[in-house]
Amino acid sequence: MTEPSQPNTAGRRLDERPYRLPGLSPNTTQDAVVVVPGIMGSELYDTESGDVVWGLANAGWLLKAWTAPRGLRALHLTPDEREGRLGRIRARRLLRTPAWSPFLRGIEPYNDLVATVTRSVADPEAVLPFAYDWRLSVATNARFLAEAARDHLERWRRHPAHALARKHRVDEREGRLVFVAHSMGGLLTLAALTDGPDGDLAADTRGVLTLGTPFQGAVAAAAILNTGQGTPVPLPHGRLRRLAYTMPGLHDLLPTFPCLDEGLNIRGLSPTDIADLGGDKDLAVDSQTLHDTLRGRALPGHRALVGISQPTLQSLTLHQGVVTASEHCYREHSDGELMRDETGAPRRFDVGGDGTVHKESAASPLNRAIVPLALQHGALAQGEAALEAVTSFLEEDEHLGPPQAGARVGIEVPDLVAPGTPWTVRVRGVDSPAGLDCAVEEVGGAFAGPARLYGDDDHLAARVTVPAPGLYRVTLDTGDATPLTQLVLAAPDERDDG
């Protein structure tokens, strides 16, 4: 039998509180957040015709864009645009449906990322999805980003929800900026904060979270510019090469680290090399100037989400204008000297990456605060573990990374396949299909089916056939809340002879 509570000397029962318990305070930030997508991550439209020229929501449009005679023509930079007379093409919004490109492969939409950010802020008005014309140079878009971020912060600080949010935070400080930037968006953010028109913007920034940003470039960009040099290639690859030649933004993604293998010597690409492999020398010079300006600059409060374990191009040879890219890189000692073996040959390392950007480029030389995720490049802005890291960053929590059970698992998928023709998915890092589920489904379509894994030399593999042209997603579920995904386009096998 429970004894009744005894009154205290003030006449109040001992189990009574002198106040009513308040409800839980919201764990939302008072900061203003800017979401910056990667290359090809913004929908673009032609202001003269009113037509969407990148980002329509159906596979038929994608097939037409990459195979029709003038499918990508509107995206080519004109002489006026090269001279800075802009406005013909405008960015409408962040990508809302999956897209695809050779080499860059799957370009996942940003709906989940924006929704995740919105759940962590005091009001949806605190979030600015920054769409931009990714064809243009990083320097040009960085100026636009700096202006937009400043306007966004000032508007948010005047918003009633900002004042309320401050009361729930430990220091009740005024809101500052937080950038969440995927891929090339991280380079825009670095340029905006270190060399942009607003010299006070970095001081008003609490932190920057980058997701797969190629701070030192990506060998994949060189492969894009070199595709088809002297040989017929699948039609979409040739179309991308001709588009990329006109794009300052693509040239800004070229590797700046020592990656050119000349036997006993490993060096960086020069503007002459870039012209030799199929790029524009003037754009290469401009890009080199940009990276020279940014070299040695650090992002405030930087944390990097870095893709690991995926097969990733990391170095190249250049012979008579033809690039041969490899999945290994070279390292330097702390004194800047190349690491060599006992015979004097440069040591080779396979550090992996996210399938597009190798790990050491995405980590940034000045930043060791990284979260490694076994995800492909496009999925770094969409995977569950990545979104958890975004949430913890916005809430100013420490994040120790996701469960590491599947951290060494990688997936290799062709970027382009032919309908009705078998092709292979390869899984690296495991020797048994136990606990793994692999499946293929058509994006927005009816086709879906398992991809049965079997032993293939040192890897697992699955043979897959899709029935019709379209965009398909391969998913490898490792059972650890970080499934690997990769988009693949199925299109007729037509060749581009240049």
Side-chain angles (χ1 to χ4, degrees):
M1 182 173 180
T2 304
E3 294 291 333
S5 298
Q6 299 299 314
N8 62 16
T9 55
R12 180 179 295 117
R13 292 163 64 97
L14 294 177
D15 59 352
E16 288 182 347
R17 297 178 185 271
Y19 56 87
R20 181 169 40 179
L21 285 172
L24 291 175
S25 295
N27 192 20
T28 52
T29 179
Q30 73 271 49
D31 291 321
V33 184
V34 184
V35 180
V36 192
I39 190 169
M40 291 186 165
S42 301
E43 293 183 13
L44 303 181
Y45 72 97
D46 189 319
T47 59
E48 298 171 358
S49 67
D51 294 334
V52 174
V53 294
W54 178 258
L56 281 178
N58 63 77
W61 175 84
L62 269 177
L63 289 166
K64 180 180 178 182
W66 290 108
T67 60
R70 299 179 63 84
L72 297 176
R73 189 63 192 171
L75 292 175
H76 287 235
L77 257 73
T78 65
D80 277 352
E81 289 171 320
R82 285 282 295 267
E83 294 297 322
R85 292 183 286 275
L86 308 177
R88 180 182 69 89
I89 299 294
R90 292 195 181 277
R92 184 167 67 163
R93 59 192 178 190
L94 271 57
L95 199 67
R96 300 176 69 180
T97 56
W100 176 89
S101 166
F103 293 100
L104 301 176
R105 300 186 179 182
I107 303 156
E108 296 284 5
Y110 290 92
N111 308 1
D112 290 346
L113 179 61
V114 173
T116 296
V117 169
T118 303
R119 286 193 293 270
S120 297
V121 297
D123 188 275
E125 290 298 312
V127 182
L128 173 65
F130 178 74
Y132 62 93
D133 183 352
W134 37 264
R135 306 170 310 140
L136 306 179
S137 70
V138 165
T140 296
N141 281 315
R143 292 194 294 272
F144 297 147
L145 173 59
E147 294 167 0
R150 172 59 65 188
D151 290 345
H152 177 54
L153 179 61
E154 297 306 325
R155 283 197 308 272
W156 172 240
R157 284 175 170 174
R158 295 191 296 268
H159 197 284
H162 169 253
L164 292 174
R166 292 177 65 182
K167 296 178 181 179
H168 296 288
R169 307 303 287 179
V170 172
D171 53 8
E172 296 192 28
R173 63 169 172 79
E174 192 172 34
R176 300 168 70 193
L177 284 166
V178 175
F179 292 85
V180 178
H182 179 232
S183 190
M184 188 166 77
L187 287 177
L188 265 65
T189 304
L190 177 60
L193 295 180
T194 61
D195 195 45
D198 187 335
D200 297 325
L201 201 61
D204 282 330
T205 298
R206 193 257 289 175
V208 179
L209 181 69
T210 57
L211 306 93
T213 289
F215 289 103
Q216 300 180 73
V219 170
I224 288 170
L225 287 170
N226 190 248
T227 298
Q229 292 287 82
T231 58
V233 294
L235 199 58
H237 295 69
R239 296 281 163 81
L240 178 60
R241 175 176 58 82
R242 287 192 288 276
L243 169 62
Y245 178 82
T246 73
M247 288 171 50
L250 191 283
H251 285 73
D252 286 339
L253 298 180
L254 286 162
T256 60
F257 56 93
C259 65
L260 182 58
D261 183 351
E262 296 182 320
L264 293 179
N265 183 42
I266 311 297
R267 63 176 177 84
L269 292 171
S270 69
T272 300
D273 296 323
I274 292 167
D276 188 23
L277 64 82
D280 183 297
K281 187 174 183 178
D282 291 336
L283 294 181
V285 170
D286 292 344
S287 177
Q288 187 176 70
T289 300
L290 167 76
H291 285 281
D292 287 345
T293 301
L294 299 181
R295 188 170 290 112
R297 307 291 186 94
L299 285 164
H302 183 204
R303 186 180 299 163
L305 269 59
V306 176
I308 62 171
S309 303
Q310 310 309 304
T312 306
L313 300 179
Q314 302 161 53
S315 63
L316 59 92
T317 61
L318 179 60
H319 180 65
Q320 295 183 347
V322 177
V323 164
T324 301
S326 301
E327 294 178 9
H328 62 256
C329 66
Y330 303 90
R331 286 175 166 167
E332 295 175 339
H333 288 285
S334 56
D335 61 4
E337 290 295 317
L338 190 68
M339 295 181 67
R340 300 178 183 273
D341 66 14
E342 59 279 1
T343 70
R347 292 187 181 276
R348 304 190 302 172
F349 301 87
D350 180 5
V351 303
D354 61 23
T356 300
V357 180
H358 87 289
K359 181 177 67 175
E360 294 181 353
S361 181
S364 172
L366 302 177
N367 176 45
R368 295 295 99 186
I370 67 170
V371 179
L373 296 170
L375 292 174
Q376 289 274 334
H377 186 72
L380 278 169
Q382 188 186 50
E384 181 180 343
L387 297 180
E388 289 177 359
V390 170
T391 298
S392 66
F393 185 75
L394 293 176
E395 294 175 353
E396 300 177 285
D397 292 338
E398 290 297 320
H399 186 76
L400 302 179
Q404 296 298 306
R408 307 309 302 176
V409 179
I411 186 172
E412 184 177 353
V413 179
D415 61 359
L416 181 68
V417 299
T421 301
W423 45 277
T424 302
V425 176
R426 288 188 170 84
V427 178
R428 300 189 181 189
V430 289
D431 54 13
S432 169
L436 301 178
D437 288 311
C438 190
V440 180
E441 64 176 343
E442 186 177 4
V443 175
F447 176 83
R452 303 191 186 283
L453 295 169
Y454 60 89
D456 179 29
D457 297 328
D458 295 331
H459 310 299
L460 298 179
R463 293 290 282 169
V464 178
T465 304
V466 295
L471 188 64
Y472 294 82
R473 180 179 285 109
V474 179
T475 301
L476 177 69
D477 189 346
T478 60
D480 66 347
T482 56
L484 287 167
T485 65
Q486 181 61 66
L487 294 170
V488 55
L489 187 72
D493 187 9
E494 301 177 57
R495 296 276 139 174
D496 187 314
D497 59 9

